Coordinates of all heavy atoms in Angstrom, one line a residue:
E1 N -10.8 9.8 22.6 CA -11.1 9.9 21.2 C -10.2 10.9 20.4 O -9.8 10.6 19.3 CB -12.6 10.2 21.0 CG -13.1 10.0 19.6 CD -14.6 10.1 19.6 OE1 -15.3 9.6 20.4 OE2 -15.1 10.8 18.7
E2 N -9.9 12.1 21.1 CA -9.1 13.0 20.5 C -7.7 12.5 20.3 O -7.1 12.7 19.2 CB -9.0 14.3 21.3 CG -10.1 15.3 21.0 CD -9.9 16.6 21.7 OE1 -8.8 17.1 21.8 OE2 -10.9 17.1 22.3
E3 N -7.2 11.7 21.2 CA -5.9 11.1 21.1 C -5.8 10.2 20.0 O -4.8 10.2 19.2 CB -5.5 10.4 22.4 CG -5.2 11.3 23.6 CD -4.8 10.6 24.8 OE1 -4.3 9.4 24.7 OE2 -5.1 11.1 25.9
E4 N -6.8 9.4 19.8 CA -6.8 8.5 18.6 C -6.7 9.2 17.2 O -6.0 8.8 16.4 CB -8.1 7.6 18.6 CG -8.1 6.6 19.7 CD -9.3 5.7 19.7 OE1 -10.0 5.6 18.6 OE2 -9.7 5.1 20.7
E5 N -7.5 10.3 17.2 CA -7.4 11.1 16.0 C -6.0 11.8 15.7 O -5.6 11.7 14.6 CB -8.5 12.2 16.0 CG -9.9 11.7 15.8 CD -11.0 12.8 15.9 OE1 -10.6 14.0 15.7 OE2 -12.1 12.5 16.1
E6 N -5.5 12.2 16.8 CA -4.1 12.8 16.7 C -3.1 11.7 16.2 O -2.2 12.0 15.5 CB -3.6 13.4 18.0 CG -4.3 14.7 18.3 CD -4.0 15.3 19.6 OE1 -2.9 14.9 20.2 OE2 -4.7 16.1 20.2
E7 N -3.2 10.5 16.8 CA -2.3 9.4 16.4 C -2.5 9.1 15.0 O -1.5 8.8 14.3 CB -2.5 8.2 17.3 CG -2.0 8.3 18.7 CD -2.2 7.1 19.6 OE1 -2.5 6.0 19.0 OE2 -2.2 7.3 20.8
E8 N -3.7 9.0 14.5 CA -4.0 8.7 13.1 C -3.3 9.7 12.2 O -2.8 9.4 11.1 CB -5.5 8.6 12.8 CG -6.1 7.3 13.4 CD -7.6 7.3 13.1 OE1 -8.1 8.0 12.3 OE2 -8.3 6.5 13.9
E9 N -3.5 11.0 12.5 CA -2.9 12.1 11.8 C -1.3 11.9 11.7 O -0.7 12.2 10.7 CB -3.3 13.5 12.3 CG -4.7 13.8 12.0 CD -5.1 15.1 12.6 OE1 -4.2 15.9 13.0 OE2 -6.3 15.4 12.7
E10 N -0.7 11.6 12.8 CA 0.7 11.4 12.9 C 1.2 10.2 12.0 O 2.2 10.2 11.5 CB 1.2 11.2 14.3 CG 1.1 12.5 15.1 CD 1.4 12.2 16.6 OE1 1.9 11.1 16.9 OE2 1.2 13.2 17.4
D11 N 0.3 9.2 11.9 CA 0.6 8.0 11.1 C 0.6 8.3 9.6 O 1.0 7.5 8.8 CB -0.2 6.8 11.5 CG 0.1 6.3 12.9 OD1 1.2 6.6 13.3 OD2 -0.8 5.6 13.4
E12 N -0.1 9.4 9.2 CA -0.3 9.7 7.8 C 1.1 9.9 7.2 O 1.9 10.7 7.6 CB -1.2 10.9 7.7 CG -1.6 11.3 6.3 CD -2.9 10.7 5.9 OE1 -3.6 10.2 6.7 OE2 -3.2 10.7 4.7
V13 N 1.3 9.2 6.0 CA 2.6 9.4 5.4 C 2.7 10.6 4.5 O 3.6 11.3 4.5 CB 2.9 8.1 4.6 CG1 4.1 8.2 3.8 CG2 3.0 6.9 5.5
G14 N 1.6 10.9 3.7 CA 1.6 12.0 2.9 C 2.4 11.7 1.6 O 3.0 10.7 1.4
M15 N 2.6 12.8 0.8 CA 3.3 12.6 -0.5 C 4.8 12.4 -0.1 O 5.3 13.1 0.7 CB 3.1 13.9 -1.3 CG 3.8 13.8 -2.7 SD 3.1 12.6 -3.7 CE 2.8 13.6 -5.1
H16 N 5.4 11.4 -0.7 CA 6.8 11.1 -0.5 C 7.3 10.2 -1.6 O 6.6 9.8 -2.5 CB 7.0 10.4 0.9 CG 6.5 9.0 0.9 ND1 5.2 8.6 0.9 CD2 7.2 7.8 0.8 CE1 5.0 7.4 0.8 NE2 6.2 6.8 0.8
F17 N 8.6 9.9 -1.6 CA 9.2 9.0 -2.5 C 10.2 8.1 -1.7 O 10.6 8.5 -0.7 CB 9.9 9.7 -3.7 CG 11.0 10.6 -3.2 CD1 12.3 10.2 -3.0 CD2 10.7 12.0 -3.0 CE1 13.3 11.1 -2.6 CE2 11.7 12.9 -2.5 CZ 13.0 12.4 -2.4
D18 N 10.4 6.9 -2.3 CA 11.2 6.0 -1.6 C 12.7 6.2 -2.1 O 12.9 6.4 -3.3 CB 10.8 4.5 -1.9 CG 9.5 4.2 -1.2 OD1 9.3 4.9 -0.1 OD2 8.8 3.4 -1.7
A19 N 13.7 6.2 -1.2 CA 15.1 6.2 -1.6 C 15.9 5.5 -0.5 O 15.3 5.2 0.5 CB 15.4 7.8 -1.6
D20 N 17.1 5.4 -0.8 CA 18.1 4.8 0.2 C 18.6 5.9 1.1 O 19.5 6.6 0.8 CB 19.3 4.2 -0.6 CG 20.2 3.4 0.3 OD1 20.2 3.7 1.6 OD2 20.9 2.5 -0.1
Y21 N 17.8 6.1 2.2 CA 18.1 7.2 3.1 C 19.4 7.0 3.9 O 20.0 8.0 4.2 CB 16.9 7.4 4.0 CG 15.6 7.8 3.3 CD1 14.6 6.9 3.2 CD2 15.5 9.0 2.7 CE1 13.4 7.2 2.5 CE2 14.4 9.4 2.0 CZ 13.3 8.4 1.9 OH 12.2 8.7 1.3
G22 N 19.8 5.8 4.1 CA 21.1 5.5 4.7 C 22.2 6.0 3.9 O 23.2 6.6 4.3
L23 N 22.1 5.7 2.6 CA 23.2 6.1 1.6 C 23.2 7.7 1.5 O 24.2 8.3 1.5 CB 23.0 5.5 0.2 CG 24.0 5.8 -0.8 CD1 25.4 5.3 -0.4 CD2 23.6 5.2 -2.1
E24 N 22.0 8.3 1.6 CA 21.9 9.7 1.5 C 22.6 10.4 2.7 O 23.3 11.4 2.6 CB 20.5 10.2 1.4 CG 20.3 11.7 1.2 CD 18.8 12.1 1.2 OE1 18.0 11.3 1.6 OE2 18.6 13.2 0.7
E25 N 22.5 9.7 3.9 CA 23.2 10.2 5.1 C 24.7 10.1 4.9 O 25.4 10.9 5.4 CB 22.8 9.5 6.3 CG 21.4 9.8 6.8 CD 21.0 9.1 8.0 OE1 21.8 8.4 8.6 OE2 19.8 9.1 8.3
Q26 N 25.2 9.1 4.2 CA 26.6 8.8 4.0 C 27.2 9.8 3.0 O 28.4 10.3 3.2 CB 26.9 7.4 3.6 CG 26.6 6.4 4.8 CD 26.7 5.0 4.2 OE1 27.5 4.7 3.3 NE2 26.0 4.1 4.8
I27 N 26.5 10.0 1.9 CA 27.0 10.8 0.8 C 25.9 12.0 0.7 O 24.9 11.8 0.1 CB 27.1 10.0 -0.5 CG1 27.9 8.8 -0.3 CG2 27.5 10.9 -1.6 CD1 27.9 7.9 -1.4
S28 N 26.3 13.1 1.2 CA 25.4 14.3 1.2 C 24.8 14.6 -0.2 O 25.6 14.7 -1.2 CB 26.0 15.5 1.8 OG 25.2 16.6 1.8
G29 N 23.5 14.7 -0.3 CA 22.9 15.1 -1.6 C 22.8 13.9 -2.6 O 22.2 14.1 -3.7
Y30 N 23.2 12.7 -2.3 CA 23.1 11.6 -3.2 C 21.9 10.8 -2.9 O 21.5 10.5 -1.8 CB 24.3 10.7 -3.0 CG 24.4 9.6 -4.0 CD1 24.5 9.8 -5.3 CD2 24.3 8.2 -3.6 CE1 24.6 8.7 -6.3 CE2 24.3 7.2 -4.5 CZ 24.5 7.5 -5.8 OH 24.5 6.4 -6.7
M31 N 21.1 10.7 -4.0 CA 19.8 10.0 -3.8 C 19.6 8.9 -4.8 O 19.9 9.1 -6.0 CB 18.7 11.0 -4.0 CG 17.3 10.6 -3.9 SD 16.0 11.8 -4.2 CE 16.9 13.2 -5.0
I32 N 19.3 7.7 -4.4 CA 19.1 6.6 -5.3 C 17.7 5.9 -4.9 O 17.5 5.7 -3.7 CB 20.2 5.6 -5.3 CG1 20.1 4.6 -6.4 CG2 20.5 5.0 -3.9 CD1 21.3 3.8 -6.7
H33 N 17.0 5.6 -5.9 CA 15.6 5.0 -5.6 C 15.8 3.5 -5.8 O 16.7 3.0 -6.5 CB 14.6 5.5 -6.6 CG 14.4 7.0 -6.5 ND1 13.8 7.6 -5.4 CD2 14.8 8.0 -7.3 CE1 13.8 8.9 -5.5 NE2 14.4 9.2 -6.7
P34 N 14.9 2.7 -5.3 CA 15.0 1.3 -5.5 C 14.8 0.8 -6.9 O 14.0 1.4 -7.6 CB 13.8 0.7 -4.6 CG 13.1 1.9 -4.0 CD 13.8 3.1 -4.5
R35 N 15.6 -0.1 -7.3 CA 15.4 -0.7 -8.7 C 14.2 -1.6 -8.8 O 13.6 -1.8 -9.8 CB 16.6 -1.5 -9.1 CG 17.8 -0.6 -9.3 CD 18.9 -1.4 -10.0 NE 20.1 -0.6 -10.1 CZ 20.3 0.2 -11.0 NH1 19.5 0.4 -12.0 NH2 21.5 0.9 -11.1
L36 N 13.8 -2.2 -7.7 CA 12.6 -3.0 -7.6 C 11.9 -2.8 -6.3 O 12.6 -2.7 -5.2 CB 13.1 -4.5 -7.6 CG 11.9 -5.5 -7.5 CD1 11.1 -5.5 -8.7 CD2 12.6 -6.9 -7.4
A37 N 10.6 -2.6 -6.4 CA 9.8 -2.3 -5.1 C 8.5 -3.0 -5.3 O 8.1 -3.3 -6.4 CB 9.7 -0.8 -5.0
T38 N 7.8 -3.1 -4.1 CA 6.5 -3.6 -4.1 C 5.5 -2.6 -3.4 O 6.0 -1.8 -2.6 CB 6.3 -5.0 -3.4 OG1 6.7 -4.7 -2.0 CG2 7.1 -6.0 -4.0
V39 N 4.3 -2.6 -3.8 CA 3.3 -1.7 -3.1 C 2.3 -2.7 -2.5 O 1.7 -3.5 -3.2 CB 2.6 -0.8 -4.2 CG1 1.6 0.0 -3.5 CG2 3.7 0.2 -4.8
T40 N 2.2 -2.6 -1.2 CA 1.2 -3.5 -0.5 C 0.2 -2.7 0.3 O 0.7 -1.9 1.1 CB 2.0 -4.5 0.4 OG1 2.9 -5.2 -0.3 CG2 1.0 -5.4 1.1
Y41 N -1.0 -2.8 0.0 CA -2.1 -2.1 0.8 C -2.7 -3.1 1.8 O -3.0 -4.3 1.4 CB -3.2 -1.6 -0.1 CG -2.7 -0.5 -1.1 CD1 -2.4 -0.8 -2.4 CD2 -2.5 0.8 -0.7 CE1 -2.0 0.1 -3.3 CE2 -2.1 1.7 -1.6 CZ -1.8 1.4 -2.9 OH -1.4 2.4 -3.7
L42 N -2.8 -2.7 3.0 CA -3.3 -3.6 4.0 C -4.8 -3.4 4.3 O -5.4 -4.0 5.0 CB -2.5 -3.4 5.3 CG -1.1 -3.7 5.2 CD1 -0.4 -3.4 6.6 CD2 -0.8 -5.1 4.8
S43 N -5.4 -2.5 3.5 CA -6.9 -2.2 3.6 C -7.3 -1.6 2.2 O -6.5 -1.5 1.3 CB -7.2 -1.2 4.7 OG -6.7 0.1 4.4
N44 N -8.6 -1.4 2.1 CA -9.1 -0.9 0.8 C -9.3 0.6 0.9 O -10.0 1.2 0.1 CB -10.4 -1.6 0.4 CG -11.5 -1.4 1.4 OD1 -11.2 -0.8 2.5 ND2 -12.6 -1.9 1.1
V45 N -8.6 1.3 1.8 CA -8.7 2.8 1.9 C -7.3 3.3 1.8 O -6.4 2.7 2.2 CB -9.4 3.2 3.2 CG1 -10.9 3.1 3.2 CG2 -8.8 2.5 4.4
G46 N -7.3 4.6 1.4 CA -6.0 5.2 1.3 C -5.8 5.9 -0.1 O -6.6 5.7 -1.0
V47 N -4.7 6.6 -0.2 CA -4.4 7.3 -1.5 C -3.7 6.3 -2.4 O -3.0 5.4 -2.0 CB -3.6 8.5 -1.2 CG1 -4.4 9.5 -0.4 CG2 -2.3 8.2 -0.5
P48 N -3.7 6.6 -3.7 CA -3.0 5.7 -4.7 C -1.5 6.0 -4.6 O -1.0 7.0 -4.1 CB -3.6 6.1 -6.0 CG -4.1 7.5 -5.8 CD -4.5 7.6 -4.4
T49 N -0.8 5.0 -5.2 CA 0.7 5.2 -5.3 C 0.9 5.6 -6.8 O 0.4 4.9 -7.7 CB 1.4 3.8 -5.0 OG1 1.2 3.5 -3.6 CG2 2.9 3.9 -5.3
L50 N 1.7 6.6 -7.0 CA 2.1 7.1 -8.3 C 3.5 6.6 -8.7 O 4.4 6.9 -7.9 CB 2.0 8.6 -8.4 CG 2.4 9.2 -9.7 CD1 1.6 8.9 -10.9 CD2 2.4 10.8 -9.5
I51 N 3.6 6.0 -9.8 CA 5.0 5.6 -10.3 C 5.2 6.2 -11.7 O 4.3 6.2 -12.5 CB 5.0 4.0 -10.5 CG1 4.7 3.3 -9.2 CG2 6.4 3.6 -11.0 CD1 3.4 2.5 -9.2
L52 N 6.4 6.9 -11.8 CA 6.7 7.6 -13.0 C 8.0 7.0 -13.6 O 8.8 6.5 -12.9 CB 7.0 9.1 -12.7 CG 5.8 9.8 -12.0 CD1 6.2 11.2 -11.6 CD2 4.7 9.9 -13.0
D53 N 8.2 7.2 -14.9 CA 9.3 6.8 -15.6 C 10.5 7.8 -15.6 O 11.0 8.1 -16.6 CB 9.0 6.3 -17.0 CG 8.7 7.5 -18.0 OD1 8.4 8.6 -17.4 OD2 8.7 7.3 -19.2
Q54 N 10.8 8.3 -14.4 CA 11.9 9.3 -14.2 C 13.0 8.7 -13.4 O 12.6 8.1 -12.4 CB 11.3 10.5 -13.6 CG 12.3 11.6 -13.3 CD 12.7 12.3 -14.6 OE1 13.6 11.8 -15.3 NE2 12.1 13.4 -15.0
R55 N 14.2 8.8 -13.9 CA 15.3 8.2 -13.1 C 15.9 9.2 -12.2 O 15.8 10.4 -12.4 CB 16.4 7.7 -14.0 CG 15.9 6.6 -14.9 CD 17.0 6.1 -15.8 NE 16.6 5.0 -16.6 CZ 17.4 4.0 -17.0 NH1 18.6 4.0 -16.7 NH2 16.9 3.1 -17.7
S56 N 16.6 8.7 -11.1 CA 17.3 9.6 -10.2 C 18.5 10.2 -10.9 O 19.1 9.5 -11.8 CB 17.9 8.8 -9.0 OG 16.8 8.3 -8.2
P57 N 18.9 11.4 -10.6 CA 20.1 11.9 -11.3 C 21.3 11.2 -10.8 O 21.4 10.7 -9.6 CB 20.1 13.4 -10.8 CG 19.2 13.5 -9.6 CD 18.2 12.3 -9.7
P58 N 22.3 11.1 -11.7 CA 23.6 10.5 -11.2 C 24.3 11.4 -10.2 O 24.0 12.6 -10.1 CB 24.4 10.4 -12.5 CG 23.8 11.4 -13.5 CD 22.4 11.6 -13.0
P59 N 25.2 10.8 -9.5 CA 25.9 11.5 -8.4 C 26.6 12.8 -8.8 O 26.8 13.7 -8.1 CB 26.9 10.5 -7.8 CG 26.4 9.2 -8.3 CD 25.6 9.4 -9.5
N60 N 27.1 12.7 -10.1 CA 27.9 13.9 -10.6 C 27.0 15.1 -11.1 O 27.5 16.1 -11.5 CB 28.9 13.5 -11.6 CG 28.2 12.9 -12.9 OD1 27.0 12.6 -12.8 ND2 29.0 12.7 -13.9
D61 N 25.7 14.8 -11.1 CA 24.7 15.9 -11.5 C 24.2 16.6 -10.3 O 23.1 16.5 -9.8 CB 23.5 15.2 -12.3 CG 22.5 16.2 -12.8 OD1 22.8 17.5 -12.7 OD2 21.5 15.9 -13.3
L62 N 25.1 17.5 -9.8 CA 24.7 18.2 -8.6 C 23.6 19.3 -8.7 O 22.9 19.5 -7.8 CB 26.0 19.0 -8.0 CG 27.2 18.0 -7.7 CD1 28.4 18.8 -7.3 CD2 26.8 17.0 -6.7
T63 N 23.4 19.7 -9.9 CA 22.3 20.7 -10.1 C 21.0 20.0 -10.7 O 20.1 20.7 -11.0 CB 22.7 21.7 -11.2 OG1 23.0 21.1 -12.4 CG2 23.9 22.5 -10.7
R64 N 21.0 18.7 -10.7 CA 19.9 17.9 -11.1 C 19.3 18.3 -12.5 O 18.1 18.2 -12.7 CB 18.7 18.1 -10.1 CG 19.1 17.9 -8.6 CD 19.3 16.5 -8.3 NE 19.4 16.2 -6.8 CZ 20.5 16.0 -6.1 NH1 21.6 16.1 -6.7 NH2 20.4 15.7 -4.8
Q65 N 20.2 18.6 -13.4 CA 19.8 18.9 -14.8 C 19.2 17.7 -15.5 O 18.4 17.9 -16.4 CB 21.0 19.4 -15.5 CG 21.5 20.8 -15.1 CD 20.4 21.8 -15.3 OE1 19.9 21.9 -16.4 NE2 20.1 22.6 -14.2
T66 N 19.6 16.5 -15.1 CA 19.0 15.3 -15.8 C 17.5 15.1 -15.4 O 16.9 14.2 -16.0 CB 19.8 14.0 -15.4 OG1 19.9 13.9 -14.0 CG2 21.2 14.1 -16.0
L67 N 17.0 15.8 -14.4 CA 15.6 15.7 -14.1 C 14.7 16.5 -15.0 O 13.5 16.4 -15.0 CB 15.4 16.1 -12.6 CG 15.9 15.2 -11.6 CD1 15.6 15.8 -10.2 CD2 15.2 13.8 -11.7
N68 N 15.3 17.3 -15.8 CA 14.6 18.1 -16.8 C 14.1 17.2 -17.9 O 14.7 16.1 -18.2 CB 15.4 19.2 -17.4 CG 15.8 20.3 -16.4 OD1 15.1 20.4 -15.5 ND2 16.9 21.0 -16.6
G69 N 13.0 17.5 -18.5 CA 12.5 16.7 -19.6 C 11.1 16.1 -19.3 O 10.6 16.3 -18.2
D70 N 10.5 15.6 -20.3 CA 9.2 15.1 -20.2 C 9.1 13.7 -19.5 O 10.0 13.0 -19.5 CB 8.5 14.9 -21.6 CG 8.4 16.2 -22.3 OD1 8.3 17.3 -21.6 OD2 8.3 16.2 -23.6
I71 N 8.0 13.5 -18.8 CA 7.7 12.2 -18.3 C 6.7 11.5 -19.3 O 5.7 12.1 -19.6 CB 7.1 12.3 -16.9 CG1 8.1 12.8 -15.9 CG2 6.6 10.9 -16.4 CD1 7.6 13.2 -14.5
H72 N 7.1 10.4 -19.8 CA 6.4 9.8 -20.9 C 5.4 8.7 -20.4 O 4.5 8.4 -21.2 CB 7.3 9.1 -21.9 CG 8.3 10.1 -22.5 ND1 7.8 11.0 -23.5 CD2 9.5 10.4 -22.3 CE1 8.8 11.8 -23.8 NE2 9.9 11.4 -23.1
Q73 N 5.5 8.2 -19.2 CA 4.7 7.2 -18.8 C 4.5 7.2 -17.2 O 5.5 7.6 -16.5 CB 5.3 5.8 -19.2 CG 4.3 4.7 -19.2 CD 4.8 3.5 -20.0 OE1 6.0 3.4 -20.2 NE2 3.9 2.6 -20.3
G74 N 3.4 6.8 -16.8 CA 3.1 6.8 -15.3 C 2.1 5.8 -15.0 O 1.3 5.4 -15.9
W75 N 2.0 5.4 -13.8 CA 1.1 4.4 -13.3 C 0.5 4.8 -12.0 O 1.2 5.3 -11.2 CB 1.7 3.0 -13.2 CG 2.4 2.5 -14.5 CD1 1.7 1.6 -15.4 CD2 3.6 2.7 -14.9 NE1 2.7 1.4 -16.4 CE2 3.8 2.1 -16.1 CE3 4.7 3.5 -14.4 CZ2 5.0 2.1 -16.9 CZ3 5.9 3.5 -15.2 CH2 6.0 2.8 -16.4
L76 N -0.8 4.5 -11.8 CA -1.4 4.7 -10.5 C -1.9 3.3 -9.9 O -2.5 2.5 -10.6 CB -2.6 5.6 -10.6 CG -2.4 7.1 -10.5 CD1 -3.7 7.8 -10.8 CD2 -1.8 7.5 -9.2
S77 N -1.5 3.0 -8.7 CA -1.9 1.8 -8.0 C -2.9 2.2 -6.9 O -2.5 2.9 -6.0 CB -0.7 1.1 -7.5 OG -1.1 0.0 -6.7
Y78 N -4.1 1.8 -7.0 CA -5.1 2.1 -6.0 C -5.3 0.9 -5.0 O -5.3 -0.2 -5.4 CB -6.5 2.4 -6.6 CG -6.5 3.6 -7.4 CD1 -6.2 3.7 -8.8 CD2 -6.9 4.8 -6.8 CE1 -6.3 4.9 -9.5 CE2 -6.9 6.1 -7.5 CZ -6.7 6.0 -8.8 OH -6.7 7.2 -9.5
P79 N -5.6 1.3 -3.7 CA -6.0 0.2 -2.8 C -7.3 -0.4 -3.2 O -8.2 0.4 -3.7 CB -6.0 0.9 -1.4 CG -6.1 2.3 -1.7 CD -5.6 2.6 -3.1
K80 N -7.5 -1.7 -3.1 CA -8.7 -2.3 -3.4 C -9.2 -3.2 -2.3 O -8.4 -3.8 -1.6 CB -8.6 -3.2 -4.7 CG -8.5 -2.3 -5.9 CD -8.4 -3.2 -7.1 CE -8.3 -2.3 -8.4 NZ -8.4 -3.1 -9.5

């Protein structure tokens, strides 16, 4: 029973964002998010998905200055 609980904890994703991790490995510090994505819940339990209207900084913005500013819109998608 303890092993099952440990496995469930290891499977927990936690707070994260989606990006092209392969590209990030090729170009250090470069991060690009998907232009189109889907959110699929396989059960009715879990934490919601948060989507914000913030774009990734361009490759030449090494200090991430373009991330400054207000977020004007956001969405929450809950498992049902």
Side-chain angles (χ1 to χ4, degrees):
E1 194 171 311
E2 270 184 47
E3 286 181 29
E4 286 180 25
E5 287 179 20
E6 286 178 22
E7 285 179 21
E8 286 178 18
E9 288 177 17
E10 289 175 8
D11 288 342
E12 187 94 10
V13 174
M15 183 67 126
H16 73 283
F17 58 88
D18 291 333
D20 186 336
Y21 298 108
L23 184 60
E24 186 180 19
E25 286 178 13
Q26 294 173 27
I27 305 171
S28 179
Y30 184 63
M31 178 179 17
I32 188 165
H33 301 289
R35 293 191 183 275
L36 178 66
T38 62
V39 176
T40 304
Y41 295 103
L42 302 177
S43 70
N44 62 354
V45 283
V47 296
T49 298
L50 173 63
I51 302 114
L52 302 172
D53 70 342
Q54 181 70 277
R55 293 179 181 215
S56 298
N60 62 349
D61 182 7
L62 300 177
T63 59
R64 310 286 195 256
Q65 290 298 310
T66 54
L67 289 177
N68 294 335
D70 296 334
I71 295 173
H72 300 283
Q73 202 166 17
W75 302 266
L76 275 176
S77 172
Y78 289 92
K80 290 184 178 183

